[in-house]
Amino acid sequence: MTDIQTRARTATDWIRKNCPSIPNTALVLGSGLGKWIDSAWIQKSIPYADIPGFPVSTVEGHAGALLVAEIKGTPAFVFSGRFHLYEGYSPREVTLPIACLGLLGTENLILTNAAGALNPLFATGGLMLLTDHINMTGHNPLTGPNVDDWGPRFPDMSQVYCPALREQAMQAAMNCGQRLEQGVYVAVAGPSLETPAETRMYRIMGADAIGMSTVPEAITAHHMGLKILGISCLTNKNLPDCMAQTSHAEILDQANASSDALGSLLSALIPNLGGRHG
């Protein structure tokens, strides 16, 4: 058994022991996207540092806690903050919480992120459903010995993001009166932001939004059989021929401003995904 397997199983056992039941749905919140959660929904907040085997989030805008919540009466795990390759973590460490969800038997996973819009038709502050992704991080969390109990050596990637969940998200957006774009997300390792030439290349490749997360988690979740929904909050616009300077602080500010729209969508969607399974 590898070190990551041992850590994942240790963390899973701890979560199972310290949570009264395991929800069907889990949510990973990206940078600056945590403020929409009503404190009354949170039944328990567990710092990542308290979970044996877990990494610790080091990035501003990531609370670094597992929330046991009921969103509009529907149980859900909420990972408030995630781990990134640019923090120095390995791909397996970045996706360790997702491996725990697979071991716990969680069925639905919603991955959110703060992303830059590459599609010139997409507005800053808008939301985009992920239809597909491009992995430009240079890493894959499945590299190394395969854990056969977790999934196949060569998982099919023709449909990573669940069409049924996307349809439910589109319906929830219509019910909220929200515009919801659909597009391809490209993941880069970071932490440096993209140059104009890189931005132009990614757009030519077919990407509609860009960020530094989500794809490793989606690969691990798909490998373990979870149904995945991806949502990007478009915090800035990357136009290579008139590239405006930006910073992580500005991206966080826009993510905070966009979190209300994301919260409305998730509050309408999650109650339709089912409650507890154990």
Side-chain angles (χ1 to χ4, degrees), residues 152-211:
R153 169 75 281 190
F154 302 105
D156 177 79
M157 299 294 284
S158 60
Q159 207 167 74
V160 176
Y161 300 94
C162 178
L165 290 184
R166 294 210 317 263
E167 182 62 33
Q168 286 182 273
M170 292 297 292
Q171 187 60 54
M174 287 179 61
N175 293 342
C176 295
Q178 285 188 345
R179 183 179 178 88
L180 185 55
E181 309 289 0
Q182 297 193 70
V184 176
Y185 175 91
V186 59
V188 296
S192 54
L193 301 177
E194 305 74 48
T195 68
E198 290 167 341
T199 299
R200 190 176 293 109
M201 176 187 71
Y202 295 133
R203 182 61 187 145
I204 291 170
M205 288 168 62
D208 296 289
I210 188 166

Side-chain angles (χ1 to χ4, degrees), residues 113-126:
N113 59 60
L118 299 177
N119 189 324
L121 300 179
F122 291 179
T124 298

Side-chain angles (χ1 to χ4, degrees), residues 4 28 109 148 177 198 215 218 227 232 243 252 268:
I4 286 296
V28 178
L109 175 62
D148 293 336
E198 290 167 341
V215 167
K227 296 175 185 176
S232 291
M243 202 85 161
L252 284 181

Side-chain angles (χ1 to χ4, degrees), residues 61-265:
H62 290 258
L66 170 58
L67 309 180
V68 182
E70 288 211 356
I71 298 172
K72 295 293 181 69
T74 301
F77 276 149
V78 180
F79 290 94
S80 186
R82 54 156 50 96
F83 313 108
H84 305 81
L85 295 168
Y86 63 73
E87 295 176 79
Y89 290 121
S90 72
R92 291 279 196 182
E93 287 179 303
V94 165
T95 60
L96 189 144
I98 309 304
C100 291
L101 292 175
L103 293 172
L104 288 165
T106 298
E107 190 174 327
N108 305 306
L109 175 62
I110 302 173
L111 298 170
T112 73
N113 59 60
L118 299 177
N119 189 324
L121 300 179
F122 291 179
T124 298
L127 302 177
M128 185 190 87
L129 274 186
L130 275 62
T131 58
D132 204 347
H133 70 234
I134 302 170
N135 184 7
M136 293 295 291
T137 67
H139 299 277
N140 190 303
L142 305 184
T143 299
N146 188 58
V147 185
D148 293 336
D149 290 345
W150 294 8
R153 169 75 281 190
F154 302 105
D156 177 79
M157 299 294 284
S158 60
Q159 207 167 74
V160 176
Y161 300 94
C162 178
L165 290 184
R166 294 210 317 263
E167 182 62 33
Q168 286 182 273
M170 292 297 292
Q171 187 60 54
M174 287 179 61
N175 293 342
C176 295
Q178 285 188 345
R179 183 179 178 88
L180 185 55
E181 309 289 0
Q182 297 193 70
V184 176
Y185 175 91
V186 59
V188 296
S192 54
L193 301 177
E194 305 74 48
T195 68
E198 290 167 341
T199 299
R200 190 176 293 109
M201 176 187 71
Y202 295 133
R203 182 61 187 145
I204 291 170
M205 288 168 62
D208 296 289
I210 188 166
M212 300 173 189
S213 68
T214 302
V215 167
E217 297 159 337
I219 292 171
T220 293
H222 188 64
H223 181 242
M224 298 186 79
L226 280 76
K227 296 175 185 176
I228 307 164
L229 183 72
I231 306 174
S232 291
C233 280
L234 304 174
T235 56
N236 57 296
K237 208 163 189 174
N238 292 17
L239 301 176
D241 296 317
C242 52
M243 202 85 161
Q245 288 192 1
T246 190
S247 66
H248 185 64
E250 290 173 325
I251 290 170
L252 284 181
D253 286 344
Q254 182 57 56
N256 277 314
S258 303
S259 67
D260 288 342
L262 177 66
S264 296
L265 176 62

